[in-house]
Amino acid sequence: DVKVTQSSRYLVKRTGEKVFLECVQDMDHENMFWYRQDPGLGLRLIYFSYDVKMKEKGDIPEGYSVSREKKERFSLILESASTNQTSMYLCASSPSTGANEQFFGPGTRLTVL
Amino acid sequence: AQSVTQLDSQVPVFEEAPVELRCNYSSSVSVYLFWYVQYPNQGLQLLLKYLSGSTLVKGINGFEAEFNKSQTSFHLRKPSVHISDTAEYFCAVTQGLGFQKLVFGTGTRLLVSP
């Protein structure tokens, strides 16, 4: 079974803190994604990585950065958390060939106070 | 850029009734289409996908969807729903070179009551 795990299910941080969200996949997938999910807005792509150390901005990259030092791990970084970054964050992975499905982790619900 | 429209934000239905969740996408060029389901407090799980071939696609849990190129639609159907089908459903379409990225609709919450 493909498994995508995220480091925390729930996280509470204070405004201005640096926040790290970690995602690990065990299927040797080339592609990894970070989305945020907000009611009424669906899933919006923050960043996409298609290889180690390679990244591409998604639709809403402002206020976020990413790191992919190893193939299986993709980190999302909030340099200085703000209250408008309170959201559900979903990580996904997919193989690079064909239009294969994306496999999702369980999500991290982040609250910034 | 691609866009996906799910017009119904919420669909209430009684148990054992049929249901249709609507999805329309913007582009008429070749696309791949997906339906995902999200149960409460969980990530997304693939229900079904259309890549090519037969326009009627069958998925898990008795769901099916029909790809209609002329209408640019990919509606999801189930002939008889269960309480356990209560969840949020997302339609998605590929975007970009190599079809690596997905664009998601805003989701439809299916509420099944006894």
Side-chain angles (χ1 to χ4, degrees):
Chain A
D1 254 5
V2 175
K3 201 151 221 181
V4 180
T5 55
Q6 296 184 230
S7 50
S8 306
R9 292 300 303 274
Y10 300 93
L11 210 52
V12 180
K13 295 291 180 181
R14 297 212 173 270
T15 302
E17 278 193 78
K18 191 168 186 175
V19 181
F20 292 87
L21 302 183
E22 306 283 337
C23 175
V24 177
Q25 51 97 2
D26 66 359
M27 284 303 292
D28 202 35
H29 285 166
E30 290 77 16
N31 299 327
M32 294 189 76
F33 308 82
W34 274 107
Y35 296 91
R36 66 176 281 175
Q37 181 182 9
D38 299 290
L41 297 178
L43 276 73
R44 293 178 292 167
L45 182 65
I46 305 172
Y47 267 98
F48 160 50
S49 170
Y50 49 92
D51 203 349
V52 174
K53 297 190 188 293
M54 306 304 285
K55 62 187 179 187
E56 189 176 303
K57 289 180 181 178
D59 301 316
I60 51 164
E62 297 78 19
Y64 303 94
S65 62
V66 290
S67 172
R68 190 156 179 213
E69 297 295 319
K70 292 185 177 181
K71 190 175 186 179
E72 67 271 17
R73 188 179 296 269
F74 192 34
S75 303
L76 180 69
I77 303 151
L78 288 66
E79 294 289 342
S80 177
S82 63
T83 54
N84 63 13
Q85 292 177 309
T86 291
S87 187
M88 170 72 91
Y89 290 88
L90 291 166
C91 176
S93 72
S94 72
S96 61
T97 51
N100 290 301
E101 68 181 276
Q102 292 182 15
F103 295 85
F104 283 82
T108 295
R109 187 165 294 281
L110 173 67
T111 302
V112 183
L113 301 175
Chain B
Q2 280 281 7
S3 66
V4 177
T5 302
Q6 292 182 250
L7 280 173
D8 305 305
S9 60
Q10 193 163 287
V11 173
V13 66
F14 288 109
E15 197 174 17
E16 297 182 10
V19 71
E20 178 180 84
L21 305 184
R22 297 180 293 167
C23 172
N24 287 86
Y25 60 96
S26 59
S27 176
S28 59
V29 299
S30 294
V31 292
Y32 299 145
L33 296 147
F34 302 80
W35 274 100
Y36 282 86
V37 60
Q38 185 181 35
Y39 299 105
N41 298 315
Q42 293 186 27
L44 275 68
Q45 176 185 349
L46 184 74
L47 265 183
L48 48 80
K49 60 185 176 185
Y50 172 79
L51 303 183
S52 64
S54 171
T55 56
L56 184 63
V57 181
K58 293 193 183 298
I60 61 170
N61 301 340
F63 283 92
E64 62 183 32
E66 184 148 26
F67 170 60
N68 187 321
K69 190 174 181 179
S70 61
Q71 303 280 332
T72 59
S73 68
F74 190 53
H75 301 331
L76 181 71
R77 301 185 185 103
K78 187 169 183 178
S80 174
V81 295
H82 301 130
I83 297 281
S84 58
D85 292 323
T86 293
E88 189 143 25
Y89 293 79
F90 292 94
C91 182
V93 62
T94 48
Q95 172 168 282
L97 220 55
F99 305 105
Q100 300 301 307
K101 291 190 281 187
L102 295 178
V103 175
F104 286 85
T106 52
T108 298
R109 187 168 297 278
L110 178 64
L111 296 167
V112 182
S113 50

